[in-house]
Amino acid sequence: MGRLTVIFLALLLLFSVSTVNCCPPSDRAALLAFKAALKEPYLGIFNTWKGNDCCNKWYGVQCDPTTHRVADLTLRGESEDPIFERAHRSGYMTGYISPAICKLDRLSSVIIADWKGISGTIPTCITKLQFLRVFDLVGNRITGTIPADIGRLQHMTVFNVADNLITGKIPGSIVKLAELMHLDLRNNRLIGGIPQMCGNLKMLSRVLLSRNQLSGTIPSSITKIYRLADLDLSSNLISGTIPAALGKMPVLSTLNLDNNRITGTIPSTLLSGSGLSILNLSRNSLEGYIPDVFGPRSYFTELDLAYNKLKGPIPKSVSVAAYIGHLDLRNNQLCGQIPAGSPFDHLEASSFINNACLCGSPLTRCH
């Protein structure tokens, strides 16, 4: 074998190794097509997207170390990255999310968050990304609807499209996301009801649906999500009554139902030591008495029952609660003497104003 032949074979081997360790040309082309639909004028993050190897120092791109396929795309408009620190500003990006992103068919996570100016719709083809686990578009100006067949993404654990302009209904297929742990649809323009079969989502720990235009009642099946710790349905058009079983959920610690159209009475299960530490039922149409069921296991950092139609006295058992940090009972129809002692000795008068005939400290004396 001649010397030139050896050199040729060595170069060929070197080229082959470097090619194997690079991202495939198809992934590189898909990323460049994705980039072409966006404009980021201030930070220059896309200036790093050069060269043949998109696995090597392309900002926000991570590849699988074995296959060298693009696995994670992470672009956050608010970051502590040196690029942002040098610019002394958060990011701003316009344009839209190109369907070319769906050609990256080994994607595990897509985070394109807090850019404030990205518009357009969610590409419907994302439901074909069978390895997708995290999908986060929070803090943009995305319009259109959530893809109807979102339930095809069987490995999805995080779905976050909060703080956008998304319309339409929550797709019924979303209840098929058996591994979903975090659902955040806050501050959009969603309408319709919460899917009745949401109790199928056994892995959920956070359900955040506030500041939409959701209507209908609270599905009873939601109380079957045993891992649920945080439920926020505030600032919607939800009606009906509060399922008593919400107070029996084993790890539910935050329940925000404020600013809706909820009627009926307050279930005693919510107050008697259910594990809730934040309970906000304000600005609804709740009636009846505040259940006199507080006990040593009742521990609230926040208990807000303001702006309802509650009547009768403040329960004396409130004084038995282990802790109540913030209590707001204003704008109801409560009457009688405010109990003495904790927590009432550290509350302001504003917590009790605009009731029928409450008296005692910190309001006026009772006659």
Side-chain angles (χ1 to χ4, degrees), residues 308-321:
N308 279 290
K309 301 175 183 178
L310 301 171
K311 64 180 181 179
I314 298 173
K316 292 184 179 180
S317 63
V318 173
S319 299
V320 183

Side-chain angles (χ1 to χ4, degrees), residues 47-344:
N47 293 340
T48 64
W49 288 29
K50 56 188 178 182
N52 291 326
D53 187 6
C54 60
C55 295
N56 183 24
K57 298 182 180 179
W58 282 37
Y59 185 89
V61 178
Q62 294 290 326
C63 296
D64 184 283
T66 303
T67 65
H68 303 285
R69 297 294 308 278
V70 175
D72 302 299
L73 182 58
T74 305
L75 302 174
R76 292 188 182 277
E78 297 175 358
S79 172
E80 297 179 359
D81 188 273
I83 291 178
F84 290 76
E85 292 178 357
R86 286 194 297 268
H88 302 291
R89 62 169 298 147
S90 60
Y92 183 78
M93 191 184 295
T94 56
Y96 64 95
I97 299 174
S98 169
I101 197 172
C102 301
K103 295 181 180 178
L104 301 168
D105 57 14
R106 302 292 296 193
L107 275 173
S108 174
S109 68
V110 173
I111 301 174
I112 307 169
D114 298 313
W115 291 102
K116 308 173 187 67
I118 295 177
S119 56
T121 61
I122 300 172
T124 56
C125 59
I126 66 133
T127 61
K128 298 178 181 179
L129 298 176
Q130 59 180 316
F131 297 98
L132 196 60
R133 298 180 62 83
V134 175
F135 189 72
D136 186 347
L137 302 182
V138 63
N140 289 293
R141 296 187 63 80
I142 306 295
T143 56
T145 60
I146 298 170
D149 56 349
I150 193 73
R152 295 176 60 181
L153 298 173
Q154 292 296 298
H155 299 294
M156 182 80 76
T157 59
V158 175
F159 187 72
N160 185 355
V161 293
D163 300 326
N164 280 286
L165 302 170
I166 294 170
T167 54
K169 298 181 178 181
I170 301 173
S173 73
I174 205 165
V175 303
K176 298 179 181 179
L177 300 179
E179 297 182 18
L180 191 64
M181 294 187 286
H182 179 102
L183 176 64
D184 193 347
L185 309 179
R186 288 176 294 180
N187 197 24
N188 279 287
R189 298 176 179 179
L190 296 168
I191 61 171
I194 301 168
Q196 290 296 313
M197 301 301 291
C198 58
N200 291 347
L201 300 171
K202 302 296 186 184
M203 301 299 291
L204 270 177
S205 62
R206 303 189 79 198
V207 176
L208 309 176
L209 307 180
S210 63
R211 300 194 303 280
N212 280 287
Q213 298 165 33
L214 298 172
S215 57
T217 60
I218 302 171
S220 59
S221 71
I222 208 166
T223 64
K224 298 178 181 178
I225 308 175
Y226 300 112
R227 298 171 181 261
L228 190 61
D230 188 351
L231 176 60
D232 189 350
L233 307 180
S234 61
S235 298
N236 279 290
L237 305 172
I238 294 170
S239 57
T241 59
I242 302 172
L246 282 174
K248 299 179 181 179
M249 297 179 69
V251 296
L252 188 65
S253 61
T254 299
L255 178 60
N256 290 318
L257 303 179
D258 50 296
N259 197 23
N260 278 289
R261 299 176 178 180
I262 297 171
T263 55
T265 59
I266 300 173
S268 60
T269 53
L270 299 181
L271 304 177
S272 58
S274 60
L276 285 169
S277 60
I278 296 175
L279 176 61
N280 193 337
L281 306 179
S282 66
R283 299 180 187 275
N284 282 289
S285 296
L286 294 168
E287 299 178 316
Y289 296 87
I290 301 173
D292 194 4
V293 293
F294 292 84
R297 294 179 58 201
S298 303
Y299 188 102
F300 293 97
T301 56
E302 177 184 338
L303 177 57
D304 194 339
L305 308 178
Y307 292 91
N308 279 290
K309 301 175 183 178
L310 301 171
K311 64 180 181 179
I314 298 173
K316 292 184 179 180
S317 63
V318 173
S319 299
V320 183
Y323 177 77
I324 297 181
H326 171 77
L327 175 66
D328 197 342
L329 301 176
R330 76 184 77 186
N331 287 78
N332 278 287
Q333 298 166 19
L334 299 172
C335 192
Q337 185 165 357
I338 298 171
S342 178
F344 304 99

